[in-house]
Amino acid sequence: DLILQALLADATVTEVHALCRKPLALSHPKLRVHLVDFQRLPALPPVDEAYLALGTTIHDAGSQDAFRAVDLHMNLAVAQAAAAAGAQRLGVVSAVDAHPQARAFYNRVKGELEAALKAMPLQALVVAQPSLLLDDRRRVGQRTRWGEVFAIPLAKALGRWLPARYRPVYGEQVARALVQAMRQAQGVTVLPSDQMARQRRGG
């Protein structure tokens, strides 16, 4: 997970608790892995901040209700559990055009999550709204999405002519921008795709 890697590389972070459905192929002195059922979360250890990046597709979930259960309800459950454990700062990976009244179901669910998080009594909420992600999903252990196989080369070619918030971005850039923004954020901060795309990669 790219957010996890960014946090482990951050010298200001002393301990990272990762909630997972299965064991991680990663170990680190700062990392504490918790295998959990996201529908029945246990009480979490004390934390200062939390990051929400649970997501699926309607194809993988099998239905709109199952998609909503992951992208909305499970993320919100983690946010509430983290707040109960002391977190006053949350970062979330959302999507461009997310809005509770969006016509597209995907954007509507993302918008509903954003609205629910904004209603929580937090010190800071950082919302990353990436457009198309340019990563090869096979390299990060995810199933290939065939629509992206055609969309990614086109987006790379046309990126500079696209409206700023629709410019494609790499997942690593999203993760780095989100972690960096959490350091000093106050209130609600929205990170548009073009702003995150200015992050350096690698190193």
Side-chain angles (χ1 to χ4, degrees):
D1 182 275
L2 296 169
I3 295 175
L4 179 58
Q5 293 174 22
L7 289 169
L8 293 174
D10 189 331
T12 67
V13 176
T14 59
E15 193 170 66
V16 179
H17 295 272
L19 305 183
C20 306
R21 287 174 277 198
K22 57 185 179 180
L24 289 179
L26 173 66
S27 62
H28 192 282
K30 294 195 293 189
L31 179 60
R32 308 288 180 268
V33 177
H34 305 267
L35 300 181
V36 301
D37 178 348
F38 283 94
Q39 294 180 318
R40 299 176 182 82
L41 284 175
L44 303 185
V47 292
D48 298 314
E49 61 186 35
Y51 294 81
L52 310 174
L54 279 169
T56 185
T57 64
I58 294 178
H59 179 276
D60 289 340
S63 69
Q64 289 189 346
D65 286 344
F67 175 89
R68 186 186 294 276
V70 175
D71 279 58
L72 174 58
H73 297 302
M74 288 186 186
N75 276 303
L76 186 55
V78 173
Q80 292 168 339
Q88 283 294 303
R89 309 170 73 81
L90 293 180
V92 59
V93 179
S94 184
V96 65
D97 288 341
H99 193 280
Q101 279 79 50
R103 287 189 176 185
F105 175 76
Y106 177 88
N107 300 94
R108 188 162 65 250
V109 173
K110 295 294 188 183
E112 289 170 358
L113 176 60
E114 288 188 20
L117 297 176
K118 289 174 183 176
M120 294 178 63
L122 300 169
Q123 180 187 93
L125 172 65
V126 180
V127 182
Q129 293 185 335
S131 182
L132 178 68
L133 294 177
L134 294 170
D135 305 83
D136 181 346
R137 291 186 181 273
R138 292 170 297 180
R139 295 183 62 184
V140 294
Q142 297 181 5
R143 183 181 61 81
T144 298
R145 299 180 185 178
W146 293 108
E148 293 178 348
V149 170
F150 300 100
I152 287 174
L154 184 62
K156 287 180 176 178
L158 299 178
R160 70 178 64 183
W161 291 286
L162 293 172
R165 65 194 181 118
Y166 292 111
R167 289 174 188 164
V169 61
Y170 285 93
E172 180 184 4
Q173 294 172 313
V174 175
R176 288 190 176 200
L178 187 57
V179 170
Q180 287 182 14
M182 285 277 278
R183 299 285 78 86
Q184 297 181 338
Q186 296 291 328
V188 177
T189 299
V190 177
L191 301 176
S193 205
D194 62 310
Q195 179 178 328
M196 293 185 287
R198 293 195 289 269
Q199 283 282 327
R200 65 182 178 86
R201 297 173 59 214

